[in-house]
Amino acid sequence: EEWCESMPKVELHAHLNGSIRVSTLLELAKALNETQRDAINFSQMKHVIKKKALSLTEVFHMFDLIHNVITDHSIVTRITKEVIEDFASDNVVYLELRTTPKRNDSIGMSKRSYVDAVIEGLKSVSSVDVDFIPKTEDSRSFISDKCNGNSRKRIIVRLILSIDRRETTEAAMETVKLALEMRHFGVVGIDLSGNPKTGDWTTYLPALKFAREQGLKVTLHCGEIKNPKEIKNMLDFHPQRIGHACFFEDEHWKMMKSSKTPVEICLTSNIRTFSVPSIDVHHFAYLYEEKHPLVLCTDDTCVFTTSLSKEYKYAADSFGLGKWDMLELSRNAVEHIFADNGVKNDLRKYFNSVSKNME
Ligand code: 5GP
């Protein structure tokens, strides 16, 4: 096992349906293709998965294709279960999984029942221990278990509910209210995502403000395309984290540095979608040198054929970083998680014990 695989990692930017297991996606698409010929273009889907570079338009088309295979709640549950298993087997010890609650009247799905199906998925994982219910301080066991030589893998999972930029203000508000109702199942925050060329982010401002007032954490996809005004306004909102930060100009870097807003960096995603022209000019290098808080993430393991250990390897190889630098990066990610201080302390202790054992 390579160091990047065995090293404990923290994933903070992973979209559930973009992280569907490839074999599952193809299996579901094929089955659907056989029963409803017009529902999905199977060969097109296979073609997209194999492509090295994807335009943002192709990426968002791909998400629509993936969403088409979700024909009932049990599929949402299965996808969630497998995504957790895959992150756990890549030695992700803390995962913030984000997903857009979807309403689909034709299959009797509401935003609420969609999230229930996700939670069912968290419960149904049996190959690893999944810690998703927020606990009281005295009932924690993550570290002690690991230290006592319990060989079963353990992963802490928290959920972020996403607002899609195609949605209305009301639908976004419904998502925030749902997140509040689901806090006891580990929902910790709200994300704004979806095609950056669509909609106006101010549509979601009332919902995002409400989320913040109610104590939910907020992360925004910011600067995926050139849109200086939106980037500025988003930074003015002071989200707890932002994703991507590709099309930033001097003014934006300045704002972000003074607010110390942590950035979720998705290297493969940015390169494959041409959001950044090549890895040697990726802003990771700049932020890393400036010691600006940043976290390496996958975005969509299926769509971008990646894993968190591949992202760690990619960063190490591209920017000349060693195993210890990468462990430090992984450990620092703990400071930017949305879960409570109890979880944070737990993970800090765990990372300390890991680095001691590596010495
Ligand atoms: P889901 O929310 O259905 O679980 O995951 C897929 C959805 O996440 C997509 O439909 C899209 O709204 C969002 N998403 C995934 N990857 C990206 C990305 O790279 N950029 C943006 N803006 N949204 C994304």
Side-chain angles (χ1 to χ4, degrees):
E1 212 177 40
E2 271 208 274
W3 62 263
C4 53
E5 286 162 24
S6 54
M7 179 180 286
K9 292 172 289 292
V10 170
E11 169 67 80
L12 304 184
H13 188 134
H15 298 270
L16 173 62
N17 288 302
S19 308
I20 181 175
R21 203 177 271 173
V22 179
S23 56
T24 299
L25 175 61
L26 294 177
E27 177 198 318
L28 294 172
K30 199 154 178 248
L32 194 64
N33 203 223
E34 275 156 17
T35 52
Q36 287 170 260
R37 286 227 150 264
D38 55 336
I40 212 148
N41 190 330
F42 183 60
S43 58
Q44 193 184 10
M45 182 179 263
K46 266 180 105 166
H47 173 71
V48 172
I49 291 177
K50 286 195 184 127
K51 273 184 83 170
K52 279 223 156 36
L54 292 166
S55 67
L56 273 185
T57 309
E58 282 177 302
V59 168
F60 285 96
H61 179 58
M62 183 67 190
F63 289 129
D64 289 338
L65 291 178
I66 297 175
H67 291 149
N68 281 344
V69 307
I70 303 176
T71 50
D72 65 48
H73 293 89
S74 70
I75 293 178
V76 176
T77 299
R78 174 181 173 182
I79 295 171
T80 308
K81 172 177 182 276
E82 293 176 350
V83 166
I84 305 289
E85 288 171 350
D86 293 347
F87 275 111
S89 70
D90 195 30
N91 285 314
V92 168
V93 292
Y94 176 88
L95 163 68
E96 272 173 24
L97 190 60
R98 55 184 75 189
T99 192
T100 321
K102 288 163 195 62
R103 179 178 159 189
N104 182 347
D105 294 338
S106 69
I107 56 169
M109 186 181 277
S110 63
K111 282 183 184 247
R112 170 77 196 222
S113 70
Y114 176 91
V115 175
D116 283 338
V118 170
I119 289 164
E120 214 40 59
L122 300 180
K123 288 181 187 161
S124 68
V125 177
S126 58
S127 56
V128 294
D129 292 337
V130 182
D131 219 320
F132 68 97
I133 308 268
K135 290 193 188 80
T136 52
E137 210 61 39
D138 47 325
S139 63
R140 291 178 192 283
S141 56
F142 186 78
I143 299 310
S144 55
D145 263 29
K146 284 271 190 188
C147 297
N148 293 341
N150 182 343
S151 60
R152 262 179 81 77
K153 274 199 174 145
R154 208 177 175 106
I155 183 169
I156 302 176
V157 180
R158 291 295 183 269
L159 297 173
I160 294 174
L161 300 190
S162 300
I163 297 167
D164 186 312
R165 296 181 64 124
R166 288 178 289 199
E167 291 184 290
T168 61
T169 303
E170 292 69 35
M173 199 57 106
E174 191 188 337
T175 296
V176 173
K177 286 185 180 149
L178 186 55
L180 290 168
E181 281 169 35
M182 296 302 216
R183 277 204 266 208
H184 60 292
F185 283 122
V187 175
V188 287
I190 292 291
D191 158 56
L192 176 65
S193 53
N195 195 334
K197 292 174 189 161
T198 310
D200 187 328
W201 91 288
T202 54
T203 308
Y204 312 108
L205 211 45
L208 295 169
K209 280 187 177 151
F210 179 62
R212 181 158 65 193
E213 277 162 25
Q214 296 295 314
L216 288 166
K217 304 281 167 52
V218 175
T219 176
L220 304 173
H221 280 63
C222 178
E224 286 181 285
I225 56 171
K226 190 173 156 65
N227 189 344
K229 194 166 153 250
E230 182 182 275
I231 297 172
K232 185 172 182 296
N233 291 337
M234 281 184 168
L235 291 172
D236 266 334
F237 177 76
H238 291 289
Q240 269 83 13
R241 297 196 308 249
I242 59 162
H244 300 298
C246 298
F247 287 84
F248 271 37
E249 295 169 6
D250 287 348
E251 176 193 16
H252 306 130
W253 292 127
K254 218 182 251 169
M255 286 176 80
M256 204 181 67
K257 268 161 70 179
S258 75
S259 63
K260 297 195 170 62
T261 312
V263 189
E264 302 149 0
I265 296 274
C266 310
L267 295 174
T268 304
S269 161
N270 294 161
I271 297 301
R272 282 194 71 194
T273 58
F274 303 108
S275 303
V276 174
S278 72
I279 192 72
D280 47 300
V281 297
H282 197 284
H283 46 290
F284 172 94
Y286 168 72
L287 294 172
Y288 187 83
E289 256 167 49
E290 295 280 317
K291 298 199 179 347
H292 186 86
L294 65 88
V295 184
L296 282 182
C297 305
T298 55
D299 210 4
D300 301 282
T301 53
C302 171
V303 178
F304 300 120
T305 14
T306 191
S307 66
L308 196 52
S309 41
K310 283 187 186 158
E311 295 303 306
Y312 271 67
K313 182 99 172 61
Y314 193 19
D317 291 349
S318 309
F319 306 107
L321 300 173
K323 177 168 111 170
W324 286 101
D325 301 318
M326 299 315 287
L327 180 63
E328 207 46 34
L329 201 61
S330 182
R331 182 216 289 262
N332 285 339
V334 172
E335 302 310 314
H336 313 303
I337 67 173
F338 284 172
D340 58 49
N341 283 330
V343 175
K344 229 179 233 182
N345 281 329
D346 227 16
L347 288 167
R348 283 180 188 134
K349 281 186 213 151
Y350 178 58
F351 271 94
N352 283 341
S353 74
V354 168
S355 56
K356 274 207 192 93
N357 289 336
M358 264 171 71
E359 269 162 18

